[in-house]
Amino acid sequence: MKAPILLRTLRSLRLGEFLVYGRAWQDQSVYLIYSRRGRCSSIIMTAMVPGSENIFLVGLMGVGKSTIGKRLAKKLQKTFVDSDKEVEKRTGASIELIFDIEGEEGFRKRESDILDELTARDGIILATGGGAVLLPENRERLSARGRVVYLKAPVEVLARRMSGDRKRPLLQDSDPLEKLQALQNEREPFYLEIADVIIVTDDLPLKHVVNKVLESLEQNANHNG
């Protein structure tokens, strides 16, 4: 059974006399924070995903996988990895240049090889490229080697976010909104196929999205457990 993620604060409980007391309890870090009069102002319990467990973020370009992933990694004390950045780092070329020279098929092959390596690691938060789910072997690895979070937003929101962005190869030769809708139609079944949880981000503040991810993963773990 996969351990749940829990982030919960309870307030105004009368406990002990310490100002701050911390301990480990059932795979959780528990902190009791007291006032000088002995009144507990809060209990913070954070149960992390086991250090070896991975969380994989999937979804269309512009949905915020990297931004959200970095914040999750900080909260869960895990290592954040962006698969697109890894491709660029190892090839010494930008994604746009790889598309220009090798086409999408060449890029997908490179992406798949790197995903195979990255998903075999332990304890990472991985932001995948929007099209990573197109290949069945990628879907199989993502599903088998960690918990998958599908981040979703209306294509109108995504188009607005990426207005004027010249670093998205698939958006350069067509109307961005139409292209994003086509990509959504093509990829949605694959995202849904492997998703453990689905988070609709819309224009929510980052903090709220991160909390929704944590809460949804907890619920998913409890349901599957």
Side-chain angles (χ1 to χ4, degrees):
M1 182 184 75
K2 296 180 178 179
I5 300 173
L6 177 62
L7 184 62
R8 182 173 300 157
T9 300
L10 306 177
R11 297 187 180 281
S12 299
L13 298 179
R14 292 184 179 275
L15 300 167
E17 298 178 357
F18 299 95
L19 291 177
V20 179
Y21 174 69
R23 60 168 294 184
W25 179 72
Q26 293 185 358
D27 295 326
Q28 302 179 53
S29 297
V30 182
Y31 301 92
L32 309 183
I33 304 174
Y34 295 85
S35 69
R36 293 188 179 277
R37 294 183 178 180
R39 185 176 180 82
C40 181
S41 62
S42 65
I43 300 177
I44 301 175
M45 304 171 65
T46 59
M48 302 305 186
V49 180
S52 62
E53 188 170 46
N54 298 320
I55 297 175
F56 305 136
L57 307 179
V58 302
L60 284 181
M61 65 181 83
V63 78
K65 298 185 293 291
S66 294
T67 303
I68 293 166
K70 289 175 184 177
R71 186 66 64 89
L72 283 171
K74 183 176 181 180
K75 274 187 171 288
L76 299 177
Q77 299 178 20
K78 291 181 177 291
T79 300
F80 172 75
V81 185
D82 183 314
S83 64
D84 281 351
K85 296 298 183 184
E86 284 295 309
V87 172
E88 293 183 328
K89 177 181 177 181
R90 299 185 191 196
T91 61
S94 67
I95 301 299
E96 309 94 278
L97 183 58
I98 297 173
F99 264 76
D100 286 343
I101 295 174
E102 300 181 348
E104 184 173 0
E105 183 177 356
F107 170 75
R108 296 298 173 203
K109 175 63 169 63
R110 291 183 180 276
E111 177 183 56
S112 184
D113 290 343
I114 287 179
L115 281 175
D116 187 21
E117 177 188 331
L118 294 177
T119 56
R121 295 183 185 179
D122 291 330
I124 68 169
I125 307 289
L126 176 64
T128 64
V133 297
L134 293 173
L135 298 182
E137 57 265 37
N138 292 346
R139 298 197 299 275
E140 181 178 350
R141 291 161 185 158
L142 290 167
S143 182
R145 298 175 180 178
R147 287 201 270 180
V148 180
V149 177
Y150 171 25
L151 299 175
K152 182 177 181 179
V155 293
E156 294 82 4
V157 172
L158 299 180
R160 186 173 69 248
R161 288 179 186 174
M162 293 183 290
S163 176
D165 188 339
R166 308 304 300 175
K167 295 183 179 181
R168 309 280 184 172
L170 294 178
L171 298 184
Q172 302 313 310
D173 299 324
S174 60
D175 177 81
L177 184 57
E178 290 183 3
K179 184 61 176 181
L180 284 167
Q181 187 61 65
L183 292 174
Q184 175 76 3
N185 294 341
E186 176 190 27
R187 298 171 181 179
E188 173 89 352
F190 300 135
Y191 294 140
L192 295 175
E193 175 187 326
I194 63 174
D196 291 299
V197 299
I198 301 169
I199 304 294
V200 180
T201 65
D202 287 337
D203 281 323
L204 292 174
L206 176 60
K207 179 179 179 180
H208 291 181
V209 175
V210 171
N211 286 339
K212 284 180 66 176
V213 172
L214 292 170
E215 292 166 4
S216 296
L217 283 169
E218 177 193 356
Q219 293 168 5
N220 173 261
N222 290 338
H223 176 73
N224 292 335

